[in-house]
Short mmCIF file of all heavy atoms in Angstrom, two decimals:
data_model
loop_
_atom_site.label_atom_id
_atom_site.label_comp_id
_atom_site.label_asym_id
_atom_site.label_seq_id
_atom_site.Cartn_x
_atom_site.Cartn_y
_atom_site.Cartn_z
N LYS E 244 -33.41 17.49 11.28
CA LYS E 244 -32.82 18.46 10.36
C LYS E 244 -32.30 19.66 11.14
O LYS E 244 -32.97 20.13 11.97
CB LYS E 244 -33.78 18.78 9.30
CG LYS E 244 -34.29 17.64 8.47
CD LYS E 244 -35.20 18.15 7.30
CE LYS E 244 -35.54 16.91 6.47
NZ LYS E 244 -36.48 17.34 5.42
N GLU E 245 -31.15 20.07 10.79
CA GLU E 245 -30.49 21.15 11.49
C GLU E 245 -30.45 22.38 10.64
O GLU E 245 -30.32 22.33 9.44
CB GLU E 245 -29.06 20.74 11.93
CG GLU E 245 -29.03 19.53 12.86
CD GLU E 245 -27.63 19.08 13.07
OE1 GLU E 245 -26.68 19.75 12.62
OE2 GLU E 245 -27.50 18.11 13.86
N ALA E 246 -30.44 23.51 11.29
CA ALA E 246 -30.28 24.76 10.59
C ALA E 246 -28.79 24.85 10.09
O ALA E 246 -27.99 24.25 10.61
CB ALA E 246 -30.60 25.92 11.42
N LYS E 247 -28.57 25.69 9.05
CA LYS E 247 -27.27 25.74 8.47
C LYS E 247 -26.21 26.25 9.48
O LYS E 247 -25.03 25.87 9.48
CB LYS E 247 -27.28 26.64 7.28
CG LYS E 247 -27.97 26.12 6.12
CD LYS E 247 -27.95 27.08 4.96
CE LYS E 247 -28.82 26.54 3.76
NZ LYS E 247 -28.81 27.46 2.69
N ASP E 248 -26.58 27.17 10.35
CA ASP E 248 -25.67 27.71 11.28
C ASP E 248 -25.40 26.93 12.66
O ASP E 248 -24.52 27.20 13.31
CB ASP E 248 -26.07 29.20 11.69
CG ASP E 248 -27.49 29.20 12.31
OD1 ASP E 248 -28.37 28.52 11.69
OD2 ASP E 248 -27.72 29.81 13.28
N GLU E 249 -26.24 25.87 12.78
CA GLU E 249 -26.01 24.99 13.95
C GLU E 249 -24.91 23.96 13.70
O GLU E 249 -24.75 23.45 12.68
CB GLU E 249 -27.29 24.28 14.30
CG GLU E 249 -28.42 25.02 14.84
CD GLU E 249 -29.64 24.15 15.26
OE1 GLU E 249 -29.42 23.10 15.60
OE2 GLU E 249 -30.74 24.71 15.05
N LYS E 250 -24.16 23.67 14.74
CA LYS E 250 -23.09 22.68 14.66
C LYS E 250 -23.80 21.31 14.58
O LYS E 250 -24.79 21.11 15.29
CB LYS E 250 -22.13 22.81 15.94
CG LYS E 250 -21.21 23.89 15.87
CD LYS E 250 -20.38 23.84 17.10
CE LYS E 250 -19.04 23.21 16.78
NZ LYS E 250 -18.17 23.12 17.99
N LYS E 251 -23.20 20.47 13.80
CA LYS E 251 -23.79 19.12 13.76
C LYS E 251 -23.28 18.30 15.00
O LYS E 251 -22.15 18.32 15.33
CB LYS E 251 -23.32 18.44 12.53
CG LYS E 251 -23.94 17.05 12.35
CD LYS E 251 -23.60 16.41 11.05
CE LYS E 251 -24.36 15.13 10.88
NZ LYS E 251 -24.15 14.48 9.66
#
Side-chain angles (χ1 to χ4, degrees):
K244 293 184 180 180
E245 300 175 359
K247 291 180 182 179
D248 55 314
E249 287 185 32
K250 283 179 99 177
K251 185 174 182 178

